[in-house]
Amino acid sequence: MRSVFVFPAGERAETVALLDLHLPKQRNPWSLDGNLYIDIDDEQTGYLFSDWDPEDVAILEAALGHHPAWAVQIDISGRIDGTAEVHQMTALLLDRGGVATDDYTTHPWTLTEILSGAVVDGRRFYDFRGHRELNREGGRS
């Protein structure tokens, strides 16, 4: 399963209310059409940052200007491409600011970068195809 972490600006309760509004009658996790599984993770009661490299956490902190205590974790089913769905959900969650990270770069992506298709380190946001292709060309699979 592929994952994206979204660190929205604002309070956690605001994000929960936004998810409840757009994905009603569900929670823990919320689901978008059974293809995206969306939950909130934190360091105190969850596993946020438990498997992150300290350098990646430092890059995120620099982008946000603080150490985030929570994030929205989006897991994407392997049954679908998921690009459109991930872009839709990150656009909703980052409408008021913040950043998102994906499995393919260490870059904290802003909504402007995501929507414009910006390229960082040879990849776009949630560019699993590009990641696979770059690894294939580099002799890794």
Side-chain angles (χ1 to χ4, degrees):
M1 193 167 286
R2 298 154 293 168
S3 297
V4 168
F5 287 88
V6 184
F7 300 88
E11 299 297 320
R12 180 177 179 155
E14 294 170 331
T15 298
V16 168
L18 183 67
L19 289 167
D20 284 344
L21 176 67
H22 289 275
L23 302 169
K25 300 180 183 173
Q26 53 182 316
R27 192 186 284 184
N28 301 325
W30 292 270
S31 177
L32 180 64
D33 301 328
N35 294 315
L36 299 185
Y37 302 94
I38 304 154
D39 212 348
I40 295 188
D41 195 9
D42 60 47
E43 288 182 292
Q44 286 189 326
T45 60
Y47 300 99
L48 184 62
F49 304 127
S50 65
D51 61 350
W52 288 44
D53 290 331
E55 299 83 22
D56 296 342
V57 176
I59 291 168
L60 176 65
E61 291 170 345
L64 290 171
H66 68 279
H67 180 85
W70 60 276
V72 177
Q73 181 174 343
I74 303 171
D75 292 320
I76 302 95
S77 169
R79 297 183 311 268
I80 64 163
D81 174 290
T83 302
E85 294 86 349
V86 167
H87 282 219
Q88 173 190 349
M89 191 54 57
T90 55
L92 175 71
L93 294 166
L94 295 179
D95 187 49
R96 297 181 62 215
V99 298
T101 64
D102 60 27
D103 289 338
Y104 310 106
T105 69
T106 59
H107 180 70
W109 297 89
T110 64
L111 182 57
T112 301
E113 291 171 321
I114 293 168
L115 295 178
S116 71
V119 176
V120 175
D121 297 329
R123 295 182 185 95
R124 291 179 170 77
F125 174 70
Y126 186 67
D127 189 5
F128 66 93
R129 283 191 204 93
H131 177 76
R132 191 176 351 176
E133 191 61 35
L134 285 172
N135 284 337
R136 189 174 296 131
E137 290 172 5
R140 294 168 283 191
S141 46

